[in-house]
Amino acid sequence: MAKVGSNFPDFSLQSYSQKEGSKNVDLNSLKGKVFILAFYPKDNTPGCTKEMCAFRDDWAKFAEAGIRVFGVSLDSIKSHESFAAKFEFASLELLSDSDGDLSNALLVGEDHPKRTLFVVDKEGIIREIIEGMPNNAELLTLCQSLK
């Protein structure tokens, strides 16, 4: 697995949000911003739905703090569109790592990514790695300290 203090690997993934539709997101476009990539196993499963709904519910707090939050799975954009519509993820961006390249580079799982969250600072350095379900209040405080 990637380590705290290391550079986040370069990536370019297709993203979907109800607000913005599909677009590409890459590491270069996130430089200068604190961001979170929350890897989860699969759209529409109980734990993953709970985690992404918590980010949906707290999205405004993260946005006000200038922190970008992305959910990442191996699911296709089509699956993300359905998942986002079903649970009203208006602004929450879901990234499709359909070929598994980023998941494999970070060693978070090959068939289904383990629930692993990466907090990345403005310079692209991994500042925190959290396995399992995150506490969004603590996560927000951590991210604000990196600004």
Side-chain angles (χ1 to χ4, degrees), residues 48-107:
C48 300
T49 298
K50 180 180 177 182
E51 181 181 15
M52 292 303 112
C53 284
F55 280 121
R56 174 203 62 203
D57 295 347
D58 291 335
W59 183 87
K61 294 174 189 173
F62 285 99
E64 282 176 23
I67 299 157
R68 299 279 303 269
V69 178
F70 301 92
V72 187
S73 75
L74 300 178
D75 294 300
S76 68
I77 288 298
K78 187 172 183 90
S79 177
H80 285 340
E81 288 174 6
S82 172
F83 188 40
K86 183 175 181 179
F87 294 101
E88 299 179 8
F89 297 154
S91 297
L92 179 63
E93 293 181 78
L94 301 175
L95 300 177
S96 175
D97 185 24
S98 59
D99 59 12
D101 287 350
L102 185 57
S103 298
N104 290 333
L106 295 166
L107 297 177

